[in-house]
Amino acid sequence: MVGTRVYVGGLPYGTRERDLERFFRGYGRFRDVLIKNGYGFVVST
């Protein structure tokens, strides 16, 4: 199964993976969250 990857930009310093997990929880299931410097990706199932 191929998931959808959503780019999330402009993240403030100190944003954690669980912060994005909490935010995207209301939009459905997701498989992975990855955060880099100021941006991240959320991968749906």
Side-chain angles (χ1 to χ4, degrees):
M1 180 197 284
V2 177
T4 301
R5 183 166 43 170
V6 176
Y7 170 81
V8 183
L11 296 174
Y13 179 79
T15 301
R16 298 173 300 206
E17 289 181 1
R18 72 174 156 193
D19 297 328
L20 287 182
E21 289 172 358
R22 257 188 240 127
F23 180 81
F24 281 95
R25 186 180 303 151
Y27 295 98
R29 303 179 113 186
F30 51 89
R31 180 176 44 171
D32 194 21
V33 175
L34 174 67
I35 294 182
K36 297 288 186 179
N37 286 338
Y39 69 94
F41 294 96
V42 177
V43 182
S44 69
T45 54

